[in-house]
Amino acid sequence: GVLWSKNSEFKLEFHKLVHHMITEEEFEEGWRQMLEKYSLKKHPVLTQIYEVRHKWAKPYFRGVFCARMTSTQRSESANHLLKGYVPPGCPMHLFLKQFQKLQFDREAEESFQEKRTSLSAVCLRVNLPIERHASKVYTRAMFEKFGEELYKCGAHVLDEVVPRRVYKSTHVEAEKREKWSKVEFKIEVDEDESFFSCKCGYFEHAGIVCCHALQVCLGDQRTSLIMFHLPCLL
C-alpha cells in the first residue's frame, strides 16, 4: 500500500510484469528482480498471488485466445450494458423488451462501424501491399492494431536460421532493454508455408499477426500468403 502510493516506478514495473511479459522465463526473472529491488521478498500479498501466477500472469496462458481482453472485461461490459437498459427489480416481460432494444442498438452500432470503415479513408504508415490489403479487410480498430505491429518490424533484425523454415528476430536495441526482457524471437514456418508460428504467441493469444511473423513475410517476399489469411483473423 505505502509503496504503491508513493513510488510511481513500482507501479510501472508491476504493470509491465502483468501486461507486457511474453515468456515464463521473462516473468520469473522480472518478478525476482522486482522483489529484490523493493525488498518485498516476504510481502504476504505478493507471495500469495505469486503462488497462483498461472491463473493471472499473461505468459502462462499466452497460447489461449483471449482477443486482447482481460479476465473479467467481457462480464463487466455485459453488466454495464444491461444496467443502462434494465432497471433493478424489473418484471420478466420488461426485461425481454429492454433486452431486445439492447440487441437492436448493438447491431446498429456494429453496422455503423462497418459502414464507417468502408467509406472513410485510412492512413497508411508504410504503404506496402499487405498494409493496403489489410485496410480493406479489417475494421478500422483492427487495422490500427495491425498497423502498430507492422510499424514495429523496423525495430527488429531478421536472420534466417534454417532456409525458408526457421528465422530469428532480434531487437535492434537489445542492450538497452531490461536484463530480463526477451530480445530474440524464433519464428517457424510450416511445410506448405501457410502458417507462421512465433515464440511470442501473440497471434494465438490476441488474434493479431505479430511484428516478428510480419517481418518474415516481408523479408522473404511471402506477403501474398499472409494476405490470403488476413480475412480469417477478423
Side-chain angles (χ1 to χ4, degrees):
V2 176
L3 187 63
W4 181 269
S5 60
K6 289 185 177 181
N7 197 326
S8 59
E9 289 186 4
F10 174 76
K11 283 186 180 181
L12 293 174
E13 291 188 31
F14 185 79
H15 278 284
K16 186 178 292 185
L17 284 170
V18 174
H19 298 294
H20 300 292
M21 295 296 96
I22 295 176
T23 65
E24 292 88 343
E25 293 78 13
E26 267 188 305
F27 176 81
E28 296 289 346
E29 182 62 20
W31 187 271
R32 183 187 65 79
Q33 291 186 20
M34 182 188 71
L35 296 184
E36 290 182 355
K37 180 178 180 180
Y38 297 100
S39 302
L40 296 170
K41 288 185 176 181
K42 296 183 179 180
H43 193 282
V45 176
L46 293 180
T47 301
Q48 183 179 8
I49 63 174
Y50 177 76
E51 291 175 353
V52 293
R53 60 192 180 281
H54 62 281
K55 294 184 177 181
W56 59 267
K58 182 179 177 180
Y60 294 95
F61 54 91
R62 69 178 187 274
V64 179
F65 180 65
C66 297
R68 294 176 55 86
M69 292 195 303
T70 57
S71 58
T72 60
Q73 182 177 341
R74 185 179 180 87
S75 175
E76 291 172 358
S77 177
N79 291 338
H80 178 73
L81 280 175
L82 283 173
K83 288 179 180 179
Y85 286 83
V86 182
C90 72
M92 183 58 69
H93 72 278
L94 179 59
F95 171 81
L96 292 175
K97 180 179 179 181
Q98 292 299 103
F99 185 76
Q100 288 178 342
K101 185 176 186 301
L102 184 153
Q103 284 185 307
F104 176 82
D105 291 346
R106 294 292 294 175
E107 291 173 358
E109 174 64 20
E110 183 177 345
S111 298
F112 169 76
Q113 292 298 336
E114 290 180 350
K115 187 175 182 180
R116 173 175 173 265
T117 299
S118 62
L119 294 179
S120 58
V122 297
C123 180
L124 302 179
R125 293 191 177 191
V126 290
N127 198 30
L128 291 171
I130 188 174
E131 186 181 26
R132 292 196 296 270
H133 177 74
S135 69
K136 298 175 182 177
V137 298
Y138 279 147
T139 60
R140 175 64 63 84
M142 192 67 172
F143 175 72
E144 290 176 353
K145 297 298 180 183
F146 176 81
E148 292 174 4
E149 293 302 312
L150 194 61
Y151 182 78
K152 291 177 185 177
C153 289
H156 294 80
V157 176
L158 186 68
D159 295 308
E160 191 175 43
V161 180
V162 179
R164 300 185 67 83
R165 287 292 179 270
V166 181
Y167 298 82
K168 182 181 69 173
S169 179
T170 307
H171 200 282
V172 294
E173 295 184 345
E175 69 282 354
K176 296 182 180 180
R177 297 171 71 85
E178 292 88 344
K179 294 181 179 180
W180 45 260
S181 180
K182 187 174 180 62
V183 295
E184 292 184 356
F185 300 90
K186 179 181 178 182
I187 306 100
E188 297 179 339
V189 185
D190 64 3
E191 292 185 0
D192 59 356
E193 300 184 349
S194 62
F195 187 77
F196 300 77
S197 176
C198 181
K199 180 67 175 177
C200 72
Y202 191 56
F203 173 73
E204 292 81 0
H205 182 69
I208 302 176
V209 183
C210 68
C211 60
H212 317 110
L214 284 173
Q215 192 179 25
V216 174
C217 297
L218 298 174
D220 202 26
Q221 297 181 351
R222 304 186 193 187
T223 304
S224 60
L225 287 172
I226 197 167
M227 284 171 64
F228 176 77
H229 289 277
L230 279 180
C232 301
L233 310 181
L234 291 173

